[in-house]
């Protein structure tokens, strides 16, 4: 039953971001068939940030009406919306509507907004729900959240999305290419492999994954065996306590939290270092934790993913796919490591954050130098960029899980704020990179088969 609950927590976590992650990996197959073309990623970036109205509402409710909002009905609602939206997307993604003087993929954009609301809101509802289970299952949930990026990427890989074969093509023009990296009698041309199954089948798969998430959530709530894994009687549920408290009599009192009463006797309140959660950390430490959380999510969810193709494609299509796949694997691996080695040291957290940021700086530098980054004509350059991506994701994913574990011990509202800061950091990262990439065009993409750089 312990393993059964771990599996359910993992499946529940997969549903957190599987829809939007699936949208991103399916772009190479969608883009040629819609009028927006490669402007669609820019539109998706804006749509996802607009969808943060969901977590903003949830956070404000917890802040100004603590105890009034139960996350379980919200989760039922958003996951059901996710199931319906992905199912409709399978049949409507390529339908266009004439608006003004041009055609637009109205159904695709509207359904993408609904899916963005679902996934963004999951950050401030799924995590607080995990407070109802024993602490050991939180790390399993993070493993599932990491798999929400890996699973659709693997399915897209099986589908054959973006797979390029480099073939020789004769050049009719007779001219000298000097010290270039391609031959004078021909060049390699990129030929994209046809998909093994359609986008419709992929979106139906995403709908099935959302159904799995909904089923796991139902079992986590109602299965008798899982009920034994819920918190014991020694814990106080703040969502039940606050409803019974007269708000007018407790305006200046601290918001009740879920806390193990046997482990924290009444006299421990005297030793509280702040009014946040259980008072384990002082204000400077809390600011440090939340700043690191925002920074890490800005890098991993907003800044670096937008330049992954720029940093990898100059080294070849194989390097790009290896970096994308292995970095997706590194996320759940980091969560798995945190399950057995949960080091909560703030010093280690800072060291890992600086380390991951350093590797991220190398990735950003190679993206800025594209299409001619360092060691572009050497296998060592391709190996370095792949290894750098893996270490970058591995270190910062571990930091995110440890912060989640730390804030989980501080109570229900701490996890709500954790989800809110995750979304805030991701939003700031995406909005920072959007004008640099899509408006000012500061980055130039390399070609998957031809690297036109001096040796």
């Amino acid at each position: 039953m312990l393993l059964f609950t771990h599996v359910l927590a993992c499946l529940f976590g997969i549903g957190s971001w599987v829809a939007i992650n699936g949208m991103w990996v399916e772009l190479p197959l969608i883009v040629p068939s819609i009028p927006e073309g490669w402007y669609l990623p820019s539109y998706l970036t804006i749509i996802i940030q607009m969808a943060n109205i969901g977590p903003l509402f949830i956070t404000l409710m917890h802040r100004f009406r603590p105890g009034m909002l139960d996350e379980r009905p919200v989760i039922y609602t958003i996951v059901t919306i996710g199931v319906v939206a992905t199912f409709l997307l399978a049949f409507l993604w390529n339908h266009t509507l004439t608006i003004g003087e041009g055609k637009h993929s109205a159904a695709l954009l509207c359904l993408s907004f609904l899916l963005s609301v679902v996934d963004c809101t999951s950050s401030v509802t799924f995590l607080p729900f995990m407070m109802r289970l024993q602490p050991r299952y939180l790390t399993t949930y993070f493993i599932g959240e990491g798999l929400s990026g890996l699973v659709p990427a693997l399915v897209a890989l099986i589908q054959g999305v973006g797979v390029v074969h480099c073939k020789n093509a004769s050049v009719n023009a007779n001219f000298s290419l000097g010290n270039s990296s391609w031959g004078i009698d021909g060049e390699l041309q990129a030929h994209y492999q046809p998909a093994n199954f359609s986008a419709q089948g992929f979106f139906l798969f995403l709908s099935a994954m959302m159904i799995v998430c909904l089923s796991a959530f139902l079992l986590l709530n109602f299965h008798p065996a899982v009920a034994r894994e819920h918190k014991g009687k020694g814990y106080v549920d703040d969502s039940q306590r606050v409803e019974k408290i007269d708000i007018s009599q407790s305006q200046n009192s601290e918001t009740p939290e879920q806390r193990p009463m046997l482990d924290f006797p009444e006299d421990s309140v005297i030793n509280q270092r702040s009014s946040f959660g259980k008072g384990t950390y002082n204000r400077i430490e809390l600011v440090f934790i939340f700043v690191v959380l925002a920074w890490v999510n800005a890098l991993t969810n907003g800044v670096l993913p937008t330049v992954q193709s720029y940093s990898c494609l100059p080294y070849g299509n194989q390097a790009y796919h290896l970096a994308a796949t292995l970095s997706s694997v590194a996320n759940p691996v980091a969560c798995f490591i945190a399950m057995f080695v949960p080091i909560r040291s703030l010093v280690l957290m800072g060291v890992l954050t600086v380390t991951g940021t350093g590797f991220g700086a190398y990735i950003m530098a190679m993206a800025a130098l594209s299409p001619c980054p360092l060691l572009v004509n050497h296998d060592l350059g391709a190996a370095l960029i792949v290894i750098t991506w893996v270490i970058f994701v591995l270190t910062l994913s571990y930091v995110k899980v440890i912060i989640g574990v730390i804030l989980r011990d501080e109570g229900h509202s701490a996890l709500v704020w954790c989800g809110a800061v995750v979304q805030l950091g991701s939003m700031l990262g995406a909005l920072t990179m959007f004008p640099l990439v899509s408006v000012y065009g500061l980055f130039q993409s390399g070609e998957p088969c031809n690297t036109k750089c001096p040796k």
Side-chain angles (χ1 to χ4, degrees):
M1 288 303 100
L2 182 67
L3 178 61
F4 179 64
T5 308
H6 275 294
V7 171
L8 291 180
C10 183
L11 294 175
F12 178 56
I14 289 177
S16 59
W17 280 94
V18 70
I20 291 300
N21 287 333
M23 283 288 296
W24 283 110
V25 300
E26 195 69 1
L27 284 180
L29 200 60
I30 296 175
V31 163
S33 303
I34 61 173
E36 288 79 8
W38 279 106
Y39 285 105
L40 181 61
S42 300
Y43 293 157
L44 281 180
T45 301
I46 298 300
I47 286 172
I48 292 172
Q49 305 319 316
M50 291 171 58
N52 278 305
I53 188 174
L56 176 63
F57 172 77
I58 299 295
T59 305
L60 292 176
M61 284 292 293
H62 279 286
R63 174 64 180 87
F64 297 105
R65 292 290 185 270
M68 290 187 63
L69 184 64
D70 187 349
E71 64 270 358
R72 287 172 296 183
V74 179
I75 294 175
Y76 282 124
T77 302
I78 63 175
V79 176
T80 302
I81 291 175
V83 172
V84 175
T86 47
F87 181 79
L88 293 176
L89 204 56
F91 302 96
L92 302 176
W93 70 270
N94 57 353
H95 285 225
T96 59
L97 183 66
T98 301
I99 301 175
E101 298 180 354
K103 291 185 177 181
H104 297 278
S105 306
L108 175 64
L109 296 176
C110 291
L111 292 173
S112 297
F113 175 74
L114 288 179
L115 292 177
S116 300
V117 172
V118 170
D119 289 3
C120 290
T121 308
S122 72
S123 295
V124 292
T125 52
F126 283 24
L127 273 175
F129 169 77
M130 295 304 296
M131 278 292 300
R132 300 176 182 273
L133 301 176
Q134 297 292 343
R136 66 173 72 96
Y137 299 112
L138 182 64
T139 307
T140 309
Y141 165 82
F142 278 115
I143 293 176
E145 194 177 69
L147 290 174
S148 70
L150 176 62
V151 171
L154 293 179
V155 174
L157 197 62
I158 296 171
Q159 186 185 16
V161 172
V163 176
V164 178
H165 296 288
C166 298
K167 297 182 179 179
N168 287 322
S170 61
V171 178
N172 296 325
N174 184 16
F175 56 92
S176 176
L177 298 175
N179 293 326
S180 64
S181 62
W182 46 308
I184 62 174
D185 57 344
E187 66 175 344
L188 293 176
Q189 286 188 347
H191 292 266
Y192 288 87
Q193 175 181 304
N196 296 320
F197 55 89
S198 65
Q200 183 184 65
F202 185 83
F203 288 129
L204 288 176
F205 162 76
L206 293 183
S207 183
M209 291 303 300
M210 295 303 296
I211 293 175
V212 169
C213 173
L214 181 60
S215 302
F217 182 62
L218 286 168
L219 292 173
L220 285 173
N221 279 285
F222 298 110
H223 196 283
V226 179
R228 293 196 291 268
E229 297 298 329
H230 285 208
K231 282 186 171 183
K233 297 180 180 180
Y235 288 81
V236 179
D237 190 335
D238 67 319
S239 64
Q240 297 176 357
R241 287 183 54 187
V242 174
E243 293 174 356
K244 300 178 182 180
I245 296 176
D246 184 1
I247 300 298
S248 63
Q249 297 179 0
S250 59
Q251 292 180 349
N252 297 324
S253 62
E254 180 185 351
T255 302
E257 297 287 345
Q258 291 180 335
R259 56 192 58 168
M261 290 166 27
L262 296 178
D263 295 337
F264 295 91
E266 294 180 359
D267 58 358
S268 66
V269 177
I270 302 175
N271 298 324
Q272 286 188 343
R273 304 172 66 188
S274 70
S275 59
F276 183 84
K278 297 173 183 175
T280 308
Y281 300 94
N282 60 39
R283 290 192 177 185
I284 295 177
E285 292 171 334
L286 289 172
V287 170
F288 172 76
I289 290 172
F290 281 114
V291 167
V292 168
L293 182 63
W295 173 255
V296 166
N297 281 279
L299 292 181
T300 57
N301 299 338
V303 176
L304 273 302
T306 60
V307 298
Q308 185 170 45
S309 61
Y310 300 104
S311 66
C312 298
L313 272 181
Y315 296 102
N317 187 64
Q318 184 179 16
Y320 173 70
H321 277 280
L322 278 175
T325 304
L326 293 180
S327 61
S328 296
V329 173
N331 191 324
V333 168
C335 300
F336 191 76
I337 294 173
M339 177 182 291
F340 298 98
V341 192
I343 303 174
R344 308 186 189 194
S345 168
L346 298 186
V347 175
L348 177 63
M349 184 191 304
V351 171
L352 290 178
T353 301
V354 172
T355 303
T357 302
F359 283 99
Y362 178 82
I363 293 171
M364 182 61 71
M366 296 306 101
L369 293 173
S370 178
C372 299
L374 298 177
L375 300 174
V376 67
N377 295 315
H378 300 275
D379 292 337
L380 178 60
L384 277 178
I385 197 65
V386 172
I387 294 172
T388 300
W389 266 102
V390 172
I391 298 177
F392 165 75
V393 175
L394 190 69
T395 53
L396 297 191
S397 295
Y398 184 86
V399 171
K400 287 193 286 186
V401 175
I402 293 303
I403 291 178
V405 171
I406 288 174
L407 295 179
R408 187 241 176 262
D409 291 342
E410 295 302 303
H412 181 275
S413 66
L415 284 182
V416 174
W417 284 107
C418 176
V421 173
V422 165
Q423 286 305 115
L424 176 63
S426 303
M427 180 182 68
L428 292 177
L431 293 181
T432 299
M433 295 303 297
F434 175 77
L436 300 180
V437 175
S438 302
V439 179
Y440 299 108
L442 297 183
F443 298 90
Q444 297 180 7
S445 179
E447 296 184 13
C449 294
N450 296 310
T451 303
K452 303 175 183 179
C453 295
K455 291 183 180 180

